Amino acid sequence: MRRSPGYGATLSEQIYVGADHAGFRLKQKLVDELARLGYEPVDVGPKALDPADDFPDYGRPVAAAVSEGKVRRGILTCGTGLGMAFVANRFPHVRAAVAWSPEIAELARRHNDANVLVLPARFVSEEEGMEILHKWLDTTFEGGRHERRVAKIDS
Ligand code: RB5
């Protein structure tokens, strides 16, 4: 079985993905890109653009799946990324990072072991979103001194 570069995960890994109306378009691209890369995206919705939808309704199922250990990673997107991060980081063991550049995504993985990527759809282009996604998927946690710090989040 082929393995994803750097992360050690099998390419059939399930990754939960959710958005609100502001992130809907980007979410569709993320789901397509994950499938193209050989992952198994689980799209919790929305299935259609609804300008009146609320981010917590889609952030919670993604965060819950990661928190309960059902999957290792999740991806969320809303306008600023902030609302989704607020929701996701209330769940035990979830470390949701808003990443607006590949460098932030890389550090979120290397130093923070971020298991939920949050994209601010109104502040990144689709192309930037894909670059951020790739960096986050393929960067490993450095461990070492960061292990101790990450452990203290839940202590
Ligand atoms: C929706 O208009 C917007 O508030 C939402 O997508 C998000 O940015 C909230 O944090």
Side-chain angles (χ1 to χ4, degrees), residues 20-23 51 53 55 77-86 122-123:
D20 70 352
H21 53 281
D53 67 14
F55 60 81
T77 177
C78 64
T80 59
L82 298 176
M84 284 298 198
F86 297 157
R122 288 185 174 141
F123 297 88

Side-chain angles (χ1 to χ4, degrees), residues 130-146:
M130 293 309 114
E131 285 173 24
I132 294 166
L133 171 70
H134 293 155
K135 189 59 87 175
W136 180 77
L137 285 171
D138 294 338
T139 305
T140 50
F141 179 46
E142 244 176 53
R145 67 190 189 282
H146 303 296

